[in-house]
Amino acid sequence: TIRVWYPDENREPAGWSVKRGTPTALAFHPKQPHLAIGLGNGAVQLWDTTTGLELPLPKLVAAVPDRIDAVSRLAWSSSGERLAVGYQTGRARISRLEVDAQSFESYSHRGAITTIDWLRNDGQIALGDSRASVSVWEPDAAKPLRVLGGGLNPIVSVGFDDEQKRYWCVTSVG
């Protein structure tokens, strides 16, 4: 079930049932009233937040992976044209929604994808994992630009400082 609270309107929570799986991740579209929902079976759904109706997604985005692999993170690019999906097994998939094409799929992480962040005006994407590594990709690349590691604790969040040209990450305290 997806629940929506309206704190400014002092209303009770509203909600709707997600079909065909258990929700494990969500991300709001940056420009549309849409919500992407990742499921425990690896599927992704898109919902209209004003009507509560499920919207069609291109087949490559909505598809359940070849093996059961729970979605752990979702992130829209700032333009809303790409959706990044991170999985518990360390895979990541980035899809262009307007062309129904898969941009890349990553198998380089040994731990679950714990964070995804679009960097440099959507020119790069950073993936952090539960095994303390971060990989930085160009969205259409088949291999990472760089892999940063060396920590002991899972990566919680990643980002890029354009002014100082530095990558930053937050790790959990283990």
Side-chain angles (χ1 to χ4, degrees), residues 88-159:
Q88 286 290 325
T89 59
R91 296 181 339 141
R93 185 174 66 194
I94 301 198
S95 299
R96 286 187 187 177
L97 298 170
E98 76 279 3
V99 294
D100 195 15
Q102 192 167 311
S103 294
F104 83 79
E105 197 156 331
S106 158
Y107 295 93
S108 66
H109 286 262
R110 294 179 296 156
I113 301 295
T114 55
T115 186
I116 301 172
D117 193 19
W118 290 88
L119 314 169
R120 295 182 167 193
N121 296 319
D122 297 344
Q124 293 180 355
I125 188 166
L127 307 170
D129 71 21
S130 62
R131 305 283 298 271
S133 70
V134 174
S135 63
V136 180
W137 302 74
E138 289 180 347
D140 297 317
K143 62 181 183 177
L145 296 170
R146 59 192 54 84
V147 177
L148 314 166
L152 299 175
N153 300 313
I155 305 296
V156 176
S157 184
V158 294

Side-chain angles (χ1 to χ4, degrees), residues 44-120:
V44 175
Q45 296 178 355
L46 185 64
W47 292 75
D48 183 317
T49 59
T50 58
T51 65
L53 296 175
E54 186 176 356
L55 302 170
L57 269 174
K59 289 179 185 174
L60 286 174
V61 180
V64 176
D66 53 0
R67 61 186 182 279
I68 299 300
D69 192 0
V71 173
S72 57
R73 289 290 179 263
L74 294 168
W76 290 98
S77 64
S78 62
S79 67
E81 295 174 0
R82 297 177 194 231
L83 179 65
V85 182
Y87 296 94
Q88 286 290 325
T89 59
R91 296 181 339 141
R93 185 174 66 194
I94 301 198
S95 299
R96 286 187 187 177
L97 298 170
E98 76 279 3
V99 294
D100 195 15
Q102 192 167 311
S103 294
F104 83 79
E105 197 156 331
S106 158
Y107 295 93
S108 66
H109 286 262
R110 294 179 296 156
I113 301 295
T114 55
T115 186
I116 301 172
D117 193 19
W118 290 88
L119 314 169
R120 295 182 167 193

